[in-house]
Amino acid sequence: MPIGSAYAQEKEKPEPRQGLRIEPSLTAVYDDNVYRVDSRTEDPVADVIITPAIEVGFDRDIGIAAFSLRALAGYDRFISEGDRSKPRLELEGSGKYVIAGQCWVRPTASYRQQRADYGDINSASENLQKFSTLGVSADCERPAGLYPVVAWRRDTTRNGDGFDYADQTSNLYRAGVGYARPSLGKLTAYYERVTSERPALGLENRSDAYGLSFTRSVSPLTSIDADIRWMHVTSTADAIGSYNGPGWTVRVSTMAIPRVKITGSTERTIVNDSLIASGFAVRTAHRLSAELALSELTTIGAFGELVRRDFRQDAAIRPFNYTHDRTNQFGLIARRKITEALALDLSLTHLDRATNSDVSNYRANRVSLGATMRF
């Protein structure tokens, strides 16, 4: 589980629409390297993946309370590599409730299952991963002044046969003090502890972080979100190294250029959930994206993302013989609104991964065309 937010190919969520919404979709993806093999030593296998899906959501504000529900069901159908075909399921629920007229309690729960991405291990093995989250946060935020902030979250990952070493259960605890002022924005100082247990390996990773987060709309066109923290991460296994150093999540978004939205972000997080490391990974990512509104019906965009992971693991039990990797992504995205209910999406993505030991490298290209209806 990442400490902080991971956002590879992040997609901003629109403001929820009140009431019921139903969105069936159909997506076709051409992938020229579905097993993520090194093309220098093997011939990549290309395939087309067809994914029919339906998403149902319901949002409602009821006086001092509000809740949001979402469910998505789909099926990734590989045309040639049929053994890779897997169902896709996502369930999410969240809410908020005001107490004593000034404090908000926000529960959340989710469940997700999908075929694992095997870019890490370069093999034809199959694994249906299942993720669940249960949590609650509370604060007494005020327009101006000090207020408390607390949160708890439990995350689980379960894998298929042969990958039980990656099963884990994590618990996050956070407590802090926030300060709000209209001319400043919102500032929060906090302490956060994360424990991540891997029962099949008999170890537990522990993280203590002291952080400061800041949110502000600098102008109607520009916003800044920043979270800076100092992390101390250890494992109960002596052979796994520790990490003592900074972590951060910084995101700046601006529309200073008319019709163009530019977003830059950078982060360093600890990732416990990995099919590679027996311990944990230090993940550093930098991303830049731009979106141009050609008209009210058409938008185009481009993005680039550079990611590096440094693995802390026990050499005696780790299944891979590299200590760090880097993965770069570059892409183009276009969206065309045909009617109020129908939209088409086209994206092209190039991925390039390399490891320090020159194994498990790959390059891949994906072309995706999708249609979504909204009711």
Side-chain angles (χ1 to χ4, degrees), residues 46-300:
D47 205 351
V48 174
I49 306 103
I50 306 295
T51 304
I54 183 167
E55 181 176 337
V56 179
F58 187 79
D59 297 278
R60 180 68 70 193
D61 290 336
I62 311 172
I64 62 174
F67 66 91
S68 177
L69 303 173
R70 173 182 170 270
L72 182 144
Y75 191 80
D76 294 327
R77 172 61 178 169
F78 284 69
I79 299 303
S80 299
E81 305 299 305
D83 291 342
R84 298 213 84 197
S85 300
K86 291 287 185 298
R88 181 186 296 269
L89 178 64
E90 298 177 14
L91 302 172
E92 295 180 0
S94 62
K96 61 180 181 179
Y97 184 81
V98 66
I99 298 177
Q102 61 180 8
C103 296
W104 288 95
V105 177
R106 296 179 172 85
T108 183
S110 67
Y111 174 83
R112 175 168 53 96
Q113 69 173 42
Q114 65 185 53
R115 174 181 52 82
D117 182 356
Y118 285 89
D120 284 341
I121 60 179
N122 304 75
S123 78
S125 301
E126 289 304 318
N127 179 19
L128 185 66
Q129 290 185 304
K130 301 175 182 179
F131 307 91
S132 69
T133 297
L134 181 64
V136 62
S137 63
D139 65 72
C140 299
E141 182 178 327
R142 300 187 295 168
L146 296 169
Y147 54 89
V149 176
V150 295
W152 167 79
R153 191 177 75 232
R154 179 182 177 87
D155 295 272
T156 67
T157 301
R158 299 295 181 262
N159 295 271
D161 295 340
F163 296 93
D164 58 347
Y165 68 87
D167 290 355
Q168 72 163 8
T169 299
S170 297
N171 284 280
L172 177 149
Y173 307 89
R174 174 182 285 203
V177 176
Y179 177 75
R181 189 170 182 177
S183 60
L184 172 69
K186 291 186 292 185
L187 192 67
T188 303
Y190 65 86
Y191 165 74
E192 182 178 271
R193 180 174 179 83
V194 178
T195 59
S196 181
E197 181 184 7
R198 285 195 167 184
L201 298 178
L203 61 84
E204 182 180 79
N205 299 326
R206 300 169 182 170
S207 170
D208 294 280
Y210 300 88
L212 192 66
S213 63
F214 174 72
T215 301
R216 185 189 181 193
S217 293
V218 178
S219 73
L221 301 177
T222 302
S223 63
I224 297 175
D225 294 278
D227 186 307
I228 310 297
R229 53 198 173 272
W230 185 266
M231 299 184 293
H232 174 61
V233 189
T234 61
S235 175
T236 54
D238 294 335
I240 294 175
S242 63
Y243 175 76
N244 288 282
W248 63 81
T249 303
V250 179
R251 185 175 185 271
V252 180
S253 181
T254 181
M255 295 189 68
I257 303 175
R259 306 173 71 90
V260 178
K261 182 176 183 179
I262 299 175
T263 303
S265 55
T266 177
E267 70 169 3
R268 173 169 290 175
T269 57
I270 300 299
V271 179
N272 291 300
D273 194 352
S274 171
L275 289 173
I276 300 177
S278 58
F280 57 90
V282 182
R283 180 182 185 272
T284 306
H286 311 287
R287 180 181 174 90
L288 181 65
S289 64
E291 183 179 275
L292 170 63
L294 295 178
S295 68
E296 294 184 356
L297 302 177
T298 305
T299 59
I300 60 172

